[in-house]
Amino acid sequence: MQVILRQLGDCNIRRAEPSDLISVMEINLKTLPEHYSDYFYESLLAEFPEAFIVAEIGGKHVGYIMCKTEYGFSNFKKLGFVKKGHVVSIAVLDEYRKKGIGRALVEESVNGVKLRKCDEFYLEVRCSNNEAVRLYEKLGFVIRQQLNAYYRDGEDAYLMAIELD
Ligand code: ACO
Ligand code: ZN
C-alpha cells in the first residue's frame, strides 16, 4: 500500500516501494557521481523504509532520499554514544529543483528518523555543493566537521548534523 506523506501541488511525496528502485537508481545516475549496487538500494529500503522517500509527479519519479541508522559517537556530545540517522543520498532531477521538493524530502526523512528514536541525524556533503549545504542549514543542520579528501576525486566533505528531540 502506498504511504503518501504529503503533496506539494501535483508532486506526491511518499514512501518508496521495491518497484520504485529502478527509477531511484536512474535519478542517482543522472544527478550524482556516487553510485551504489542494486543490493545496497534494496537493503536500505528493507532496513529503513520510513526514511526512504520518493517524489513523484504524474507517475514520473523526480526525486528521492534514502537513509540508514547507525550507532556511533555523537556529533555533538563529548564521549556520547548515540543512535544516528544518516542520509546516504538525496537528489531531485534538475528540471524539478527549486520547488521545495528537496526540502520536503529532508523534512519527511527527519520524521522517519524520529520514528526510529534516533538522537541525531547527519550527512556528508561536498564543500562546493552550496545548494545542498544551504538547504540543510535552513532545516537546522550545522557543519560539525570537514572531512579531508572524503570523495574519490579528492574533494573534502562537510559533515553536517542535527540533534533531534
Ligand atoms: N520557487 C522558487 N524557489 C523555491 C521554491 C519555489 N516555489 N521552493 C523552494 N525554493 C528554493 C529554496 O528556497 C531554495 O533556495 P535557496 O537554496 O536559495 O535557499 C532552493 O529552492 C532549493 O530548495 P528546494 O527546492 O527545497 O530543493 P531542491 O528540490 O532544489 O533540491 C537538492 C535540492 C536535492 C540539493 C538538489 O539541488 C539536487 O538534487 N542536487 C544534485 C544532487 C545533490 O547534490 N544532492 C545532495 C548531495 S549530499 C547527500 O546526498 C547527503
Ligand atoms: Zn554518508
Side-chain angles (χ1 to χ4, degrees):
M1 194 193 61
Q2 286 198 350
V3 182
I4 296 184
L5 300 165
R6 72 162 93 166
Q7 287 173 307
L8 278 177
D10 52 3
C11 180
N12 282 338
I13 305 292
R14 61 168 177 81
R15 286 205 192 151
E17 297 178 338
S19 59
D20 296 312
L21 292 181
I22 300 276
S23 303
V24 168
M25 290 182 229
E26 284 170 359
I27 297 172
N28 170 265
L29 286 170
K30 283 186 192 158
T31 53
L32 283 166
E34 290 77 37
H35 309 306
Y36 314 94
S37 68
D38 299 10
Y39 171 76
F40 188 61
Y41 288 89
E42 287 162 13
S43 63
L44 292 179
L45 180 57
E47 282 163 28
F48 197 5
E50 300 88 340
F52 199 139
I53 297 164
V54 293
E56 192 184 43
I57 299 178
K60 178 182 162 74
H61 293 79
V62 301
Y64 71 88
I65 188 166
M66 56 187 194
C67 306
K68 58 185 174 178
T69 60
E70 313 167 346
Y71 290 90
F73 291 109
S74 170
N75 291 118
F76 294 95
K77 299 180 188 68
K78 275 189 187 167
L79 302 176
F81 201 70
V82 295
K83 184 172 182 183
K84 303 195 269 193
H86 180 172
V87 181
V88 174
S89 183
I90 171 175
V92 173
L93 287 178
D94 204 12
E95 317 84 272
Y96 298 91
R97 289 181 194 160
K98 300 205 174 293
K99 297 175 190 298
I101 295 174
R103 183 191 189 102
L105 289 169
V106 178
E107 285 176 348
E108 292 300 337
S109 72
V110 168
N111 291 339
V113 165
K114 286 182 178 171
L115 288 174
R116 288 292 186 100
K117 305 257 182 289
C118 291
D119 305 294
E120 301 177 6
F121 196 18
Y122 83 101
L123 55 87
E124 301 91 5
V125 57
R126 286 179 185 268
C127 294
S128 63
N129 193 345
N130 298 321
E131 289 277 297
V133 170
R134 215 164 38 222
L135 171 65
Y136 304 139
E137 278 177 340
K138 271 198 258 180
L139 295 176
F141 287 79
V142 290
I143 296 173
R144 297 298 297 169
Q145 269 186 71
Q146 185 161 339
L147 308 172
N148 192 0
Y150 178 79
Y151 296 98
R152 273 171 186 267
D153 60 10
E155 186 170 348
D156 292 0
Y158 288 131
L159 187 154
M160 299 184 73
I162 183 170
E163 280 187 289
L164 307 172
D165 33 46

